[in-house]
């Protein structure tokens, strides 16, 4: 066994989130900064490590032994054990195999759902104090069923801690679903090495720092909570400054140190990714995440906790030359061919200028952005420049096409330009994917229907990546000025409201929102109707229920795809969790082939082929 590496700071991205496609950027940026300032630092992504671990045969077999599974879950786990090598080479190794990547990726996500279901790691947060529940309290939720996911989490965490002995352990919490695993990790560290300084930071901690600090038991599990940027805090701790003297922390004694020293994004070098399995994240090809700014230059959308923090001059961005230097250095270090600009709202002119500088030096790569439906995107020549410079994907938040509602939430865009923007992006060849939001203040059922009809009318030009209800997160204008909101009342935050039923592991959490008129559940039904009826035509995969059947569909025989299992007259599509009952008088099964026995059977096999069950 190799001796443990001694470092000043060890940064960890905890489970459990769906951020599995590429590294979350907080750790690579902090490690790069610390190293440049003489602090030894390492980084570990426990989230992707847990993903890799839970799809290994030993974990899958352990979950099968525990039991309590339905037929679909059992069949899926057995398939994954038998076909592990193929699944791993396709999704993690990114090799061309007999298994299409999009099918493999969906199967891995299905596996993770089964492996995590009922685990203490994904216990629902009804209040913030639930995140601090002890291992013994959480064990009561599992009972006699067992908790394979938590067992593997602890094993992987222990291995990680043994590999890097550190004075300071920083845990970066970007999503609410990471809170329970983060405190679980902190308790483990304190049991194993009580003198280790454990610091919580990240987006969710900055949103909830004061509330977390006020909870009984927080500082029995961690030493400090970071209230802002991690660079100066971790640099001071890494250099041996006592916790109580470091600015920008809350400890058991209260707010520590003087006012935090200012830190600008331009002080950060390009991020570094060593220590992370950069090539083994779950995107179809390695993706390089980068940011060009901190905050949002608009910053006024009332529901956006990230953008609202930019008020008062807090917004920062790089120059084109600085961003170009980051892109060039990171491309050279990683060998990636795709850059994902992951700003909450990209400055498109800035990014395009930087990319053109890098490409002019002979670097060939493609890239994506996240931004609003800016008026700039009605300019076909500008969009053509973006495409010529390698832009292939644009992710956008879509709330409504009602200008009245856009003005209420202060979105700062014009609904009458949406159609033109969608048209231009489609014609130029930049894929548009939307994250759709429901539950807007004062929205009427007719406005929700009109917004849905806009999406349906343009379904062949766009994709839908996610749907979620509006959440009143702390530190948003929605919460701060609740008494002035249109048609909503906002609770005090003691009880958490989430996107359970829409987002992965309930998504964002915030204050309870109640509505005048239609209830939240009625408004959620409007959003579900949008998901049900709008065809996501630009996504790389389509669920069978969105596929239109041909009236002439016909096949005499069908060879089942490997991920479609025949079981006692039923076909189980492990990719989509679909069950198909066979009409045995019309179709017989001679695995792996279905054979039609009548004209009706030929029609049925044709429909199954169109649904992606097999090929004729």
């Amino acid at each position: 066994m190799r001796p443990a590496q001694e470092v000043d700071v060890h940064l960890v991205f905890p489970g459990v989130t769906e951020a599995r496609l590429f590294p979350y950027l907080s750790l690579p940026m902090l490690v790069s900064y610390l190293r440049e300032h003489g602090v030894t630092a390492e980084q570990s992504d426990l989230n992707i490590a847990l993903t890799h671990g839970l799809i290994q045969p030993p974990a899958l077999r352990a979950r099968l032994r525990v039991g309590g599974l339905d037929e679909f879950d059992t069949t899926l786990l057995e398939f994954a054990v038998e076909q592990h090598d193929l699944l791993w080479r396709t999704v993690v190794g990114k090799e061309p195999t007999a298994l299409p990547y999009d099918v493999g990726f969906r199967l891995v996500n299905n596996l993770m759902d089964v492996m995590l279901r009922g685990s203490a790691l994904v216990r629902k947060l009804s209040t913030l104090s639930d995140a601090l529940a002890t291992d013994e309290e959480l064990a009561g939720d599992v009972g006699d069923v067992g908790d394979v996911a938590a067992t593997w989490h602890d094993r992987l965490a222990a291995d990680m801690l043994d590999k890097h002995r550190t004075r300071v352990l920083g845990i970066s919490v970007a999503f609410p679903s990471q809170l329970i695993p983060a405190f679980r990790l902190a308790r483990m560290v304190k049991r194993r090495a009580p003198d280790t300084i454990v610091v919580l930071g990240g987006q969710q901690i900055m949103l909830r720092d004061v509330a977390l600090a006020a909870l009984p038991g927080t500082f029995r599990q961690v030493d400090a909570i970071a209230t802002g940027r991690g660079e100066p805090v971790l640099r001071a701790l890494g250099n041996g400054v006592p916790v109580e003297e470091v600015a920008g922390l809350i400890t058991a004694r209260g707010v520590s140190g003087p006012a935090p020293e200012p830190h600008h994004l331009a002080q950060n070098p390009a991020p570094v990714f060593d220590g992370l399995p950069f090539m083994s994240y779950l995107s179809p090809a390695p993706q390089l995440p980068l940011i060009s700014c901190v905050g949002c230059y608009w910053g006024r959308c009332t529901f956006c906790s990230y953008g609202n923090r930019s008020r008062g001059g807090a917004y920062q961005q790089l120059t084109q030359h600085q961003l170009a230097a980051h892109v060039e250095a990171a491309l050279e270090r990683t060998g990636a061919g795709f850059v994902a600009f992951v700003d909450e709202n990209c400055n498109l002119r800035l990014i395009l200028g930087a990319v053109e500088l890098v490409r002019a030096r002979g670097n060939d790569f493609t890239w994506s952005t996240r931004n609003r439906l800016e008026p700039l995107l009605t300019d076909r020549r500008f969009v053509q420049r973006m495409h010529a410079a390698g832009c292939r994907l644009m992710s956008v938040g879509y709330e409504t096409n009602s200008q009245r509602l856009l003005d209420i939430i202060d979105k700062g865009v014009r609904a009458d330009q949406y159609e033109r923007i969608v048209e231009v992006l489609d014609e130029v060849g930049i894929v548009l994917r939307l994250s759709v939001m429901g539950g807007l203040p004062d929205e009427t059922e007719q406005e929700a229907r009109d917004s849905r009809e806009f999406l349906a009318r343009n379904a062949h030009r766009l994709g839908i990546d996610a749907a979620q209800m509006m959440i009143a997160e702390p530190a948003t204008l929605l919460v701060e000025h609740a008494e002035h909101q249109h048609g909503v009342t906002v609770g005090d935050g003691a009880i958490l409201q989430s996107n359970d039923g829409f987002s992965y592991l309930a998504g964002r959490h915030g204050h309870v929102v109640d509505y005048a008129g239609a209830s939240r559940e009625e408004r959620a039904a409007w959003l579900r109707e949008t998901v049900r009826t709008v065809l996501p035509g630009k996504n790389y995969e389509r669920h069978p229920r969105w596929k239109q059947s041909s009236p002439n569909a016909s096949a005499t025989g069908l060879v089942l795809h490997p991920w479609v299992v025949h079981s006692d007259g039923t076909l189980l599509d492990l990719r989509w969790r679909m069950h198909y009952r066979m009409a045995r008088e019309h179709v017989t099964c001679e695995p792996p082939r279905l054979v039609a026995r009548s004209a009706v059977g030929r029609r049925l096999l044709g429909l199954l082929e169109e649904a992606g069950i097999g090929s004729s």
Side-chain angles (χ1 to χ4, degrees):
M1 183 175 178
R2 297 177 61 184
Q5 181 182 8
E6 298 283 347
V7 295
D8 297 322
V9 177
H10 183 193
L11 300 178
V12 181
F13 188 68
V16 180
T17 90
E18 63 178 346
R20 304 168 182 145
L21 293 175
F22 48 78
Y24 195 79
L25 198 50
S26 59
L27 270 59
M29 290 183 63
L30 289 167
V31 167
S32 177
Y33 174 86
L34 292 173
R35 290 177 180 174
E36 185 172 83
H37 289 84
V39 177
T40 57
E42 294 294 337
Q43 56 190 329
S44 300
D45 187 338
L46 193 53
N47 184 59
I48 195 65
L50 183 62
T51 301
H52 289 167
L54 290 182
I55 62 174
Q56 296 283 356
L60 299 170
R61 292 191 186 101
R63 185 64 190 90
L64 283 166
R65 288 193 297 270
V66 167
L69 302 168
D70 63 20
E71 181 186 22
F72 179 90
D73 296 336
T74 300
T75 305
L76 174 64
L77 295 181
E78 291 173 343
F79 172 87
V81 170
E82 294 171 3
Q83 300 293 334
H84 171 262
D85 183 64
L86 179 64
L87 194 61
W88 184 272
R89 288 191 294 114
T90 301
V91 182
V92 181
K94 309 186 195 328
E95 300 177 28
T97 71
L99 183 68
Y101 164 81
D102 57 327
V103 176
F105 179 70
R106 177 67 62 176
L107 291 174
V108 168
N109 283 337
N110 290 345
L111 286 168
M112 291 300 293
D113 289 343
V114 175
M115 296 299 288
L116 289 167
R117 190 184 308 143
S119 172
L121 297 177
V122 294
R123 184 174 185 247
K124 184 176 180 180
L125 293 176
S126 298
T127 66
L128 197 55
S129 61
D130 291 339
L132 275 68
T134 65
D135 298 348
E136 292 74 21
E137 291 169 332
L138 292 174
D141 291 344
V142 180
D144 297 329
V145 176
D147 196 336
V148 175
T151 299
W152 275 77
H153 168 276
D154 293 351
R155 184 182 307 168
L156 292 165
D159 290 345
M160 173 194 72
L161 295 172
D162 286 340
K163 181 180 178 182
H164 299 298
R165 299 286 177 83
T166 183
R167 291 190 298 104
V168 180
L169 186 91
I171 306 176
S172 180
V173 182
F175 306 98
S177 58
Q178 293 177 291
L179 283 167
I180 286 176
F183 278 102
R184 187 183 186 95
L185 175 61
R187 290 193 295 274
M188 175 182 287
V189 174
K190 285 300 185 182
R191 285 196 300 267
R192 294 165 61 93
D195 293 336
T196 302
I197 299 169
V198 179
V199 182
L200 288 184
Q203 297 294 334
Q204 289 301 313
I205 304 305
M206 286 190 282
L207 280 181
R208 309 172 194 279
D209 49 9
V210 174
L212 280 169
L215 293 176
T218 293
F219 294 113
R220 289 196 297 269
Q221 303 186 37
V222 303
D223 295 284
I225 291 172
T227 62
R229 296 293 298 271
E231 288 89 345
V233 166
L234 293 170
R235 181 181 174 185
L237 291 172
N239 283 320
V241 179
V243 173
E244 292 79 9
E245 298 176 15
V246 176
L249 292 177
I250 304 177
T251 70
R253 299 181 183 180
V255 179
S256 62
E261 64 177 89
H263 180 85
H264 195 281
L265 177 62
Q267 296 172 250
N268 288 63
V272 295
F273 297 89
D274 58 286
L276 303 177
F278 185 83
M279 305 301 288
S280 300
Y281 285 81
L282 305 190
S283 56
Q287 295 189 18
L288 170 63
L290 291 173
I291 61 170
S292 66
C293 64
V294 173
C296 172
Y297 62 82
W298 177 251
R300 289 163 46 181
C301 300
T302 59
F303 57 85
C304 182
S305 59
Y306 184 82
N308 291 170
R309 287 205 303 273
S310 300
R311 293 171 294 156
Y315 175 73
Q316 301 174 0
Q317 72 175 29
L318 300 175
T319 67
Q320 287 186 359
H321 287 279
Q322 289 168 339
L323 179 57
H326 282 200
V327 173
E328 202 161 24
L331 285 173
E332 182 178 355
R333 289 172 181 166
T334 62
F338 186 91
V339 176
F341 290 104
V342 294
D343 304 303
E344 284 294 313
N345 182 23
C346 291
N347 181 331
L348 296 178
R349 292 188 188 277
L350 168 68
I351 288 179
L352 178 58
V355 165
E356 288 176 335
L357 286 173
V358 178
R359 290 174 69 91
R361 297 170 189 151
N363 295 281
D364 186 20
F365 61 97
T366 51
W367 46 284
S368 65
T369 67
R370 295 166 58 180
N371 48 269
R372 301 181 304 160
L373 294 175
E374 302 278 4
L376 180 63
L377 295 174
T378 63
D379 184 344
R380 184 183 179 87
R381 287 177 297 180
F382 180 81
V383 176
Q384 286 174 326
R385 268 183 66 196
M386 291 182 66
H387 185 270
C391 183
R392 295 294 180 266
L393 172 65
M394 186 174 291
S395 298
V396 174
Y398 173 86
E399 297 80 21
T400 176
N401 71 337
S402 161
Q403 191 62 51
R404 182 183 80 88
L405 296 178
L406 289 172
D407 291 342
I408 286 175
I409 61 175
D410 205 3
K411 183 74 176 183
V413 293
R414 288 173 46 190
D416 60 3
Q417 295 178 331
Y418 281 9
E419 198 97 36
R420 170 64 178 166
I421 293 171
V422 171
E423 177 184 282
V424 168
L425 290 171
D426 178 60
E427 291 176 354
V428 169
I430 296 177
V431 173
L432 175 63
R433 291 189 182 154
L434 304 183
S435 177
V436 180
M437 180 181 289
L440 301 181
D442 209 36
E443 184 176 32
T444 66
E445 186 173 6
Q446 184 60 50
E447 286 171 321
R449 186 179 300 114
D450 291 344
S451 293
R452 181 186 312 129
E453 290 174 356
F454 170 83
L455 295 175
R457 188 168 64 251
N458 289 283
H460 60 293
R461 294 172 170 163
L462 52 84
I464 296 179
D465 277 344
Q468 57 190 328
M469 292 289 285
M470 183 191 72
I471 295 294
E473 290 188 291
T476 59
L477 292 168
L478 182 64
V479 171
E480 289 183 8
H481 304 297
E483 69 276 11
H484 301 304
Q485 297 302 327
H486 297 255
V488 299
T489 57
V490 181
D492 61 9
I495 304 298
L496 296 177
Q497 192 172 71
S498 69
N499 257 307
D500 194 17
F502 285 106
S503 299
Y504 184 73
L505 297 180
R508 299 175 185 269
H509 289 59
H511 299 239
V512 173
V513 174
D514 289 314
Y515 296 85
S519 67
R520 188 174 191 271
E521 181 49 42
E522 289 175 293
R523 294 167 191 273
W526 303 346
L527 182 58
R528 283 191 288 270
E529 182 67 10
T530 297
V531 174
R532 189 187 72 82
T533 59
V534 177
L535 170 69
K538 277 286 183 67
N539 285 358
Y540 60 81
E541 57 180 354
R542 284 161 53 182
H543 192 282
R545 68 183 175 84
W546 281 316
K547 295 182 178 180
Q548 296 184 4
S549 299
S550 165
N552 301 316
S554 178
T556 58
L558 204 64
V559 177
L560 297 175
H561 291 312
W563 57 91
V564 179
V565 178
H566 175 253
S567 174
D568 191 28
T570 300
L571 299 177
L572 303 179
D573 182 349
L574 303 180
R575 177 191 189 183
W576 293 116
R577 296 188 65 95
M578 296 283 286
H579 294 68
Y580 297 88
R581 296 287 181 187
M582 290 175 50
R584 297 187 184 187
E585 67 273 25
H586 299 294
V587 177
T588 59
C589 184
E590 302 167 5
R593 183 176 174 84
L594 301 178
V595 179
R597 301 181 59 187
S598 65
V600 172
R602 290 191 293 274
R603 167 67 174 162
L604 292 174
L605 291 189
L607 294 174
L608 287 174
E609 183 173 23
E610 291 183 345
I613 296 300
S615 57
S616 57

